[in-house]
Amino acid sequence: MSTTPLLLSCLLAATAPALAATYTTSNVFTNGPERGASLTGTVLDRSGQPVEGVLVSVHDRSTVTDARGGFRLYGLPAGEATVTVTGLSIKPVTQTLTLENGKAHSLQLTIEESVRELAGITVTAKATPFAPEVDGTTLTAGKKNEVIQLDKLDANLVMNSSRQVFAKVPGVTVWESDGSGQQINVATRGLSPNRSWEFNTRQNGMDISSDPFGYPEAYYNPPLEAVERIQIIRGGGSLQYGPQFGGLLNYELKRGPRDKKIEFETNNTVGNNGLFSSFNSLGGTVGKVNYYGYFQQRLGGAWRDNSEFNVRNAHANVNFQATSKLRLGAEISHLSYVIQQPGGLTDEQFNRGELRSSSRNRNWFSTPWTVPAFTADYQFSDRTRLSLKTFGLLGERNSIGFTGAVNTPDAVLPATGLQANRQIDRDRYRNLGSELRLLTDYGLLGQQHTLAVGLRAAGANLRRQQQGRGDTTSDFNLDLQAPRFGRELHFRTLNYAAFAENIFRLGSRLTFTPGLRLEVIDNEGRGYLSLNADGSENRVAQNSRREVLLYGAGAEYRVSEQTSLYANYSRAFRPVTFGDLTPPATSDVIDSNLRDSNGFNAEVGYRGTWANVLTFDVDAFWLRYDDRIGTLRRPVPGGTAGQTQQFRTNIGTSVHKGVEAYVELDLIHALTGDQTRPHFDVFASSALVDARYTQLRTATLANGGIQEGDLKNNRVEYAPKYTHRFGGTFAHRGFSATAQLTRVSAVFADANNTVLPNAAATTGRVPGYSVTDVSATYRFAKRFTLRGGVNNVFNKYYFTRRAGGYPGPGLLPADGRTWFASVGVKL
């Protein structure tokens, strides 16, 4: 199948109506039924620089300006309207204009900084947890989405406390097995949280995982102290950002202030177990240049024994407003760390309360990571913009340790008087990619519509070296003690993609958003799986090329000015990973017709706000995951009687369905109607999930023959029946405090739904748990911030996963009670 004609035809078919309308001087059929008006524009400061993050309101509708100071509002009622711009430290600006049905209006507003000294701050407006229907160059209309504003949280950002940060995102499952806080393991809808690999994980809209199409694990996550907001789009994000079932998880970093030439901020934190963290940033705007950079170092001993960590994060970005239309940017992020891994525990140790113990003091892990990027944004007009992002990755995954089962002691060998040689595993990643996106509003049939189209080209190279012979000491040391690694493989991925999505506005209340995405993936693997006694190599060669067309559509109906019904259906797939192409043993066989897992996400929901005191989002979803990959035992083709082999192939399907709900009420203001009183916001974030296999073939060796079976109706491993988070935040002037309770049901660690654990603690039931956190923030004198909190207040003992390999093996306990205290200064 020829790729180029199909790519071009997809783009031309999608862009033709928009391009035709762009060159039309007036809209057609304007004298139709009431369709609403659209308003786009920019907010600038007195020097003509764009202002990001201020609130633009018309009637009961509002949106927040983007990095270019731009805003968009659609479906506004005709007639006289007052546009209001508000924000912290600025004087409110208003302008009145007359809106006409079916007409696009454009506006430019200039704000001034307010220099009035305030005795304190009382927050009276909530940041909506939902993105506008056009968020930058992303279309979110009709999609389940959330936006987390980090500066609105009392959470422990120093340790990247995921259950606090994602508390108001219903259904987020968190694996809590990394005491350093470096790894963020999250998922939704019963998918696996392992290093967030079911999400398309990005930073500032650019790839940060090892390889989205061959090894999508996110070893790098930015320090949350540096993050402005987190953008989540559930399965519907697959059309604009890639195929993963989980959708998009995007960390957007802070930028330098636009109203200061220089601003310095420092946050210094201490905690138990020797925790010390220092986060320091510098940013500002000089003329046409906006800049921002930070350095963070976090070190300590973590909660368990043998859990030392030393993490360093650095980042710098520069944006140059070359002309009134063109903005150029460059940024680079770097992570370096060494983490000691305490290994797993047995169930017997856990039941005895020995959660802090560790029998592994020689296991270490490190993933140095560098992500450079260049961006260019061109604003043709208020209605059309073009964005180009080019990004790379220079990264590694390094581990050394004793890899035996948890019930196998890492003991001194009598023959040598030393401990066993450790195993070294190393990966090296070299990636380069580029994405071009065009967003335009155009008039058609008397209504304004929005088109987003894009192209992607990316290449990834992985050199994997495993089963290396390490030394017998206990420090972090990657020096090989043998001439060669026991296994060495080289993988290459080339990916090309084209997508188009369009918001059709059908009147002033209804939108319909269809979309297409074509993925072209080319994988190649070469190398050897093992070495024979004579030094010869057991070589393998794998090639896979496929073209996958994804499609979907969303709809949203505005029930009122502040609430809407939405529905979405989007195809998704999970590419065959390098791990799927690598047999564990030389006798294992990979199916030459191994297919990508595929399926869809569907959802219908109702969300919105009421009277500035109630925020809610309730939805039902259905996720189908076909062609799951697994291993079967089968007779060797052409072999002798009774001869069998492990065969890796597509073996099953799972269906995930359930309800997700988020409700938050400003209780005091709801009861009194007095916005000058303190806030007391109570929230509930819950998900009920039924994730089961509708087919999962098994074939095992029994009584000298192959015994076939089917795990139909078994629950999907690590898919909790329920995840509840309840909490409340009290806020007045510069003080706020939050208490939160998390309750998660029991799960199974394997598809067999094994209840009783094995001796190595790698299979068995994972019990449900409840955990409580409290935290508080106090801002005063406009420059100072005090933070503090206690995680796991009641010191509950629980665990969220069992690991068959790194960072185990064995049962991995979550942290007990921990605390932190932080002092911040902004100059």
Side-chain angles (χ1 to χ4, degrees):
M1 181 179 180
S2 175
T3 301
T4 304
L6 186 53
L7 287 172
L8 292 176
S9 63
C10 285
L11 285 177
L12 290 175
T15 57
L19 294 178
T22 300
Y23 292 101
T24 303
T25 57
S26 63
N27 295 331
V28 296
F29 303 121
T30 55
N31 296 320
E34 182 171 329
R35 303 175 184 274
S38 63
L39 176 65
T40 62
T42 55
V43 178
L44 306 177
D45 61 20
R46 286 185 298 176
S47 64
Q49 295 298 308
V51 180
E52 180 181 5
V54 295
L55 191 70
V56 180
S57 303
V58 180
H59 301 304
D60 292 329
R61 301 279 304 285
S62 61
T63 188
V64 176
T65 56
D66 59 24
R68 299 187 64 92
F71 64 89
R72 297 162 182 258
L73 288 166
Y74 303 96
L76 298 171
E80 187 173 281
T82 299
V83 183
T84 304
V85 181
T86 57
L88 293 177
S89 300
I90 69 169
K91 295 179 179 178
V93 174
T94 60
Q95 185 166 328
T96 302
L97 75 164
T98 301
L99 301 176
E100 299 180 28
N101 284 327
K103 184 176 179 181
H105 301 265
S106 182
L107 197 62
Q108 180 173 297
L109 299 160
T110 301
I111 58 96
E112 292 186 13
E113 183 181 4
S114 173
V115 296
R116 183 164 54 96
E117 190 74 22
L118 299 177
I121 298 174
T122 300
V123 179
T124 58
K126 295 182 182 295
T128 175
F130 323 121
E133 58 187 40
V134 179
D135 190 6
T137 57
T138 302
L139 306 188
T140 63
K143 296 181 175 70
K144 172 76 171 178
N145 70 82
E146 289 93 2
V147 175
I148 304 171
Q149 300 282 352
L150 276 296
D151 64 348
K152 307 296 183 184
L153 303 180
D154 293 317
N156 184 353
L157 303 183
V158 176
M159 297 301 292
N160 296 347
S161 182
S162 298
R163 70 170 179 262
Q164 293 179 306
V165 171
F166 294 94
K168 297 180 182 180
V169 181
V172 168
T173 306
V174 180
W175 274 358
E176 301 176 32
S177 55
D178 175 28
S180 72
Q182 181 54 41
Q183 300 298 323
I184 293 179
N185 299 282
V186 294
T188 60
R189 299 181 173 176
L191 299 172
S192 170
N194 183 50
R195 293 195 176 92
S196 307
W197 66 352
E198 293 283 8
F199 279 113
N200 188 310
T201 308
R202 298 189 172 211
Q203 175 180 283
N204 293 338
M206 294 170 280
D207 293 341
I208 56 174
S209 61
S210 308
D211 178 355
F213 294 91
Y215 190 52
E217 301 194 18
Y219 287 106
Y220 163 78
N221 298 279
L224 295 184
E225 289 180 287
V227 176
E228 181 75 26
R229 69 173 193 161
I230 300 174
Q231 179 188 26
I232 301 172
I233 304 176
R234 302 295 175 97
S238 61
L239 297 183
Q240 290 185 65
Y241 287 97
Q244 278 83 346
F245 279 92
L248 172 71
L249 173 62
N250 182 40
Y251 301 98
E252 294 188 2
L253 300 184
K254 297 176 180 178
R255 303 288 181 178
R258 296 188 177 277
D259 58 347
K260 296 181 180 180
K261 291 185 177 181
I262 184 170
E263 180 179 82
F264 173 73
E265 182 177 6
T266 181
N267 289 291
N268 296 280
T269 304
V270 296
N272 53 344
N273 309 307
L275 170 65
F276 175 75
S277 174
S278 182
F279 176 87
N280 302 277
S281 68
L282 191 69
T285 300
V286 179
K288 296 183 177 182
V289 177
N290 177 267
Y291 66 95
Y292 181 77
Y294 65 78
F295 176 79
Q296 183 212 46
Q297 182 169 16
R298 186 174 70 249
L299 50 89
W303 186 71
R304 293 184 62 198
D305 296 337
N306 300 323
S307 298
E308 294 181 12
F309 60 88
N310 191 342
V311 181
R312 296 181 179 89
N313 278 284
H315 171 85
N317 68 67
V318 177
N319 288 277
F320 173 56
Q321 195 71 43
T323 70
S324 60
K325 296 180 178 293
L326 177 64
R327 184 179 62 175
L328 303 174
E331 63 183 73
I332 187 167
S333 300
H334 178 70
L335 162 70
S336 65
Y337 70 82
V338 176
I339 294 174
Q340 190 178 23
Q341 295 184 319
L345 299 178
T346 65
D347 286 82
E348 183 179 358
Q349 289 174 304
F350 179 83
N351 293 332
R352 290 199 303 259
E354 300 173 3
L355 277 71
R356 304 188 72 162
S357 66
S358 166
S359 59
R360 301 288 185 263
N361 68 338
R362 304 195 298 147
N363 292 11
W364 297 87
F365 189 74
S366 175
T367 57
W369 219 258
T370 302
V371 182
F374 299 92
T375 61
D377 294 279
Y378 191 79
Q379 188 92 14
F380 291 96
S381 67
D382 287 339
R383 301 169 63 181
T384 303
R385 71 173 65 178
L386 186 69
S387 173
L388 174 66
K389 298 180 185 291
T390 300
F391 44 87
L393 169 62
L394 303 172
E396 299 181 22
R397 176 212 176 277
N398 302 314
S399 63
I400 180 170
F402 179 75
T403 59
V406 64
N407 54 341
T408 301
D410 184 9
V412 173
L413 303 177
T416 62
L418 302 171
Q419 291 175 288
N421 289 85
R422 296 181 290 176
Q423 178 175 313
I424 299 175
D425 294 324
R426 303 195 67 178
D427 285 355
R428 292 180 177 86
Y429 313 105
R430 299 292 184 268
N431 302 347
L432 182 64
S434 187
E435 292 189 0
L436 180 68
R437 293 171 179 265
L438 173 72
L439 184 83
T440 185
D441 293 332
Y442 64 95
L444 185 66
L445 301 178
Q447 185 65 51
Q448 295 297 306
H449 312 285
T450 304
L451 171 70
V453 296
L455 293 170
R456 170 187 168 92
N461 290 276
L462 163 62
R463 182 186 182 190
R464 172 161 291 173
Q465 298 170 304
Q466 296 178 326
Q467 302 174 5
R469 183 180 176 86
D471 64 19
T472 61
T473 66
S474 59
D475 294 332
F476 180 66
N477 180 9
L478 298 176
D479 293 336
L480 197 63
Q481 306 297 305
R484 306 171 68 185
F485 281 85
R487 171 180 294 176
E488 184 161 341
L489 301 164
H490 291 80
F491 295 104
R492 176 189 59 82
T493 301
L494 295 177
N495 168 233
Y496 307 97
F499 82 87
E501 273 198 294
N502 198 108
I503 299 178
F504 293 102
R505 295 183 176 85
L506 310 176
S508 61
R509 292 181 179 268
L510 179 64
T511 64
F512 176 64
T513 310
L516 291 171
R517 184 181 184 92
L518 177 67
E519 294 281 2
V520 181
I521 308 168
D522 188 351
N523 291 129
E524 178 184 295
R526 296 288 186 274
Y528 63 87
L529 281 173
S530 61
L531 297 172
N532 296 314
D534 61 1
S536 59
E537 301 172 347
N538 294 307
R539 298 195 64 81
V540 294
Q542 296 283 350
N543 291 286
S544 175
R545 179 180 174 84
R546 60 268 196 211
E547 298 172 352
V548 182
L549 181 64
L550 302 177
Y551 54 88
E556 187 161 351
Y557 179 75
R558 188 176 301 118
V559 178
S560 68
E561 288 297 326
Q562 295 178 309
T563 66
S564 61
L565 289 165
Y566 62 92
N568 185 269
Y569 172 92
S570 296
R571 299 291 302 184
F573 74 99
R574 179 169 176 78
V576 175
T577 67
F578 297 147
D580 297 324
L581 296 173
T582 306
T586 55
S587 59
D588 292 357
V589 174
I590 305 296
D591 188 349
S592 59
N593 296 314
L594 192 66
R595 301 183 301 277
D596 299 314
S597 301
N598 66 90
F600 64 83
N601 274 276
E603 62 208 12
V604 57
Y606 184 44
R607 66 187 172 207
T609 61
W610 176 77
N612 204 35
V613 296
L614 178 69
T615 304
F616 66 91
D617 187 357
V618 180
D619 73 280
F621 69 88
W622 185 289
L623 184 157
R624 185 179 177 91
Y625 205 135
D626 289 318
D627 288 328
R628 282 180 169 267
I629 297 171
T631 302
L632 301 172
R633 173 70 65 174
R634 73 169 187 177
V636 175
T640 60
Q643 188 178 9
T644 64
Q645 64 184 193
Q646 292 286 92
F647 182 59
R648 191 158 185 81
T649 186
N650 301 97
I651 64 172
T653 295
S654 66
V655 171
H656 309 230
K657 53 190 176 182
V659 176
E660 301 161 326
Y662 159 68
V663 180
E664 184 169 7
L665 175 66
D666 189 341
L667 193 59
I668 294 177
H669 292 174
L671 293 174
T672 66
D674 185 353
Q675 294 290 324
T676 64
R677 293 179 180 269
H679 289 255
F680 182 51
D681 299 323
V682 293
F683 75 88
S685 172
S686 298
L688 303 176
V689 179
D690 183 28
R692 296 179 183 271
Y693 290 103
T694 58
Q695 179 193 37
L696 195 67
R697 293 183 294 144
T698 62
T700 57
L701 190 62
N703 300 322
I706 301 295
Q707 182 70 45
E708 296 185 357
D710 190 343
L711 300 182
K712 180 180 179 180
N713 292 325
N714 275 19
R715 291 192 174 275
V716 175
E717 55 270 35
Y718 293 109
K721 296 179 184 178
Y722 63 80
T723 302
H724 303 315
R725 294 185 175 92
F726 308 101
T729 299
F730 176 84
H732 186 55
R733 298 187 180 274
F735 175 78
S736 65
T738 300
Q740 172 188 315
L741 171 67
T742 299
R743 292 181 58 88
V744 181
S745 73
V747 297
F748 295 106
D750 65 344
N752 287 306
N753 288 184
T754 305
V755 175
L756 297 177
N758 61 352
T762 56
T763 61
R765 187 170 176 266
V766 178
Y769 64 91
S770 299
V771 61
T772 303
D773 305 312
V774 295
S775 51
T777 303
Y778 180 51
R779 298 180 175 90
F780 61 98
K782 298 181 66 175
R783 300 182 185 276
F784 301 98
T785 302
L786 300 178
R787 295 180 185 269
V790 180
N791 287 12
N792 194 355
V793 174
F794 301 108
N795 201 30
K796 295 287 188 177
Y797 288 176
Y798 67 100
F799 63 97
T800 59
R801 66 177 294 196
R802 299 176 184 270
Y806 285 101
L811 174 161
L812 301 175
D815 286 358
R817 184 188 298 118
T818 59
W819 61 268
F820 76 99
S822 176
V823 177
V825 180
K826 184 180 291 186
L827 303 174

